[in-house]
Amino acid sequence: MKDALIERLKAFLQRNSTLIGSPASQEEIAHAEQQLNVSFHEDYSHFIRTFGGAYAGLAVHAFSNGSSLGNETVVDLTLEFREQFKGLPLAEVLRTGYVISMDGSGNPIIINPSGQVCICDHDTGEMELIADSFEVLIEEQFCEW
């Protein structure tokens, strides 16, 4: 992720301590990747090693989230949605990707193996590309207040 974006996030999150979690360790990341049988994209890994689960225009889940974000980890969310979509066309996307967030309607936001970010409609099963990368997603979503 670009240094300027990281610095903006740091400045914002220092003023809003309930929106930042504890940084993820390399061991936590490796264990989660093994549990989910995925490789986290570098931008997402950098973000969670720096901020843990934190708010960046949307709630980004990791392992230790900011207290305002809830306790669900990236592993919890991914496994929950894999079970929910079992047998549907979205199952393949969820099998190879991981859920980092949800929108206000409970739809999972997923990073696929190529690093693109998609949102899946849990009612229709339709998937939509919302950003070419995690970094682009944060650049588009994040706004200081």
Side-chain angles (χ1 to χ4, degrees), residues 56-82:
L58 71 160
V60 177
H61 291 260
F63 312 111
S64 175
N65 304 321
S67 61
S68 294
L69 275 63
N71 296 324
E72 299 89 358
T73 69
V74 62
V75 173
D76 297 337
L77 291 174
T78 302
L79 293 176
E80 176 184 322
F81 281 105
R82 283 179 179 175

Side-chain angles (χ1 to χ4, degrees), residues 126-143:
E126 294 179 17
M127 185 173 62
E128 176 186 351
L129 177 70
I130 57 172
D132 287 331
S133 70
F134 178 75
E135 180 175 37
V136 169
L137 175 73
I138 300 306
E139 286 175 339
E140 292 173 353
Q141 297 291 316
F142 179 63
C143 179

Side-chain angles (χ1 to χ4, degrees), residues 76-112:
D76 297 337
L77 291 174
T78 302
L79 293 176
E80 176 184 322
F81 281 105
R82 283 179 179 175
E83 183 62 28
Q84 182 178 340
F85 287 108
K86 191 187 299 186
L88 299 176
L90 285 176
E92 180 62 21
V93 174
L94 286 160
R95 187 185 66 73
T96 59
Y98 48 98
V99 179
I100 61 162
S101 190
M102 293 183 296
D103 73 0
S105 299
N107 296 313
I109 298 173
I110 301 167
I111 298 179
N112 69 22

Side-chain angles (χ1 to χ4, degrees), residues 106-125:
N107 296 313
I109 298 173
I110 301 167
I111 298 179
N112 69 22
S114 61
Q116 297 172 312
V117 184
C118 306
I119 189 165
C120 300
D121 186 305
H122 68 276
D123 291 324
T124 66

